[in-house]
Amino acid sequence: MQYNNSTAISLISHIHSLTADFLTEKLSAKGLPDLASSHGFILFQLSNTDKMAMSEIAKRINRDKSTTTVLIKKLKKLNLVEEEDAKNDKRVKYIKLSEKGKEYTESTQTLSEELLKKCFTGFSEDDKNKLTELLNKIANNFS
């Protein structure tokens, strides 16, 4: 199907589905659990820091706190993350990667590189930069 300006959002959704299918297939082949993209995004965010408050995770993944709590519970059940109370405020929960979570994110880093390589086949650096610029414009329109 050829997309145009009036179906551009459908194209973005279609690409999202294709990339999710790609990653699901690759995760399965490596024997890794198939997680929703929101789970993956949480693990990615945690891989860039020592620990993060639940409220900060919710903000970064653009989900409400109750949805984030459900997502974190699944990651805890899979032993990919650990929870700890803040020292000065027991209401605050910090989430961090477990050792298994660190191994998982290392494995998925390779898959992310494969995905980017596939996505950008035939693209020049200028093409990549322009696409990223345009997608950022779309995202900023919703901010």
Side-chain angles (χ1 to χ4, degrees):
M1 174 179 182
Q2 198 63 7
Y3 293 88
N4 57 43
N5 291 345
S6 64
T7 59
I9 299 303
S10 293
L11 174 58
I12 292 169
S13 179
H14 180 67
I15 292 168
H16 180 265
S17 293
L18 291 172
T19 59
D21 291 348
F22 176 90
L23 290 173
T24 298
E25 180 183 318
K26 297 292 184 177
L27 287 168
S28 178
K30 287 186 173 246
L32 296 171
D34 176 24
L35 301 172
S37 58
S38 294
H39 292 109
F41 197 41
I42 290 170
L43 294 171
F44 171 75
Q45 293 297 320
L46 291 172
S47 72
N48 294 315
T49 186
D50 181 41
K51 61 186 173 184
M52 194 178 298
M54 186 81 81
S55 58
E56 180 63 20
I57 293 170
K59 180 179 171 185
R60 289 196 185 186
I61 67 168
N62 195 32
R63 299 286 182 268
D64 62 39
K65 192 170 180 200
S66 62
T67 300
T68 304
T69 299
V70 171
L71 293 166
I72 293 292
K73 280 184 181 180
K74 179 170 184 178
L75 293 172
K76 281 175 55 180
K77 185 176 179 181
L78 293 169
N79 297 316
L80 295 171
V81 298
E82 299 170 347
E83 188 177 280
E84 68 179 51
D85 293 327
K87 290 181 177 125
N88 55 354
D89 187 347
K90 297 296 180 196
R91 296 170 297 170
V92 176
K93 302 283 184 202
Y94 286 107
I95 308 300
K96 64 181 184 176
L97 289 176
S98 65
E99 283 306 312
K100 184 177 177 182
K102 290 175 186 174
E103 291 169 13
Y104 181 89
T105 57
E106 287 171 12
S107 295
T108 57
Q109 178 62 34
T110 303
L111 295 180
S112 294
E113 291 166 7
E114 284 182 49
L115 178 63
L116 284 173
K117 184 177 179 183
K118 184 158 186 75
C119 284
F120 289 129
T121 298
F123 279 63
S124 68
E125 283 302 311
D126 285 343
D127 290 341
K128 293 180 207 178
N129 292 334
K130 186 63 174 175
L131 176 62
T132 302
E133 177 186 330
L134 295 171
L135 291 172
N136 275 316
K137 276 186 175 181
I138 292 171
N140 290 334
N141 287 339
F142 289 96
S143 296

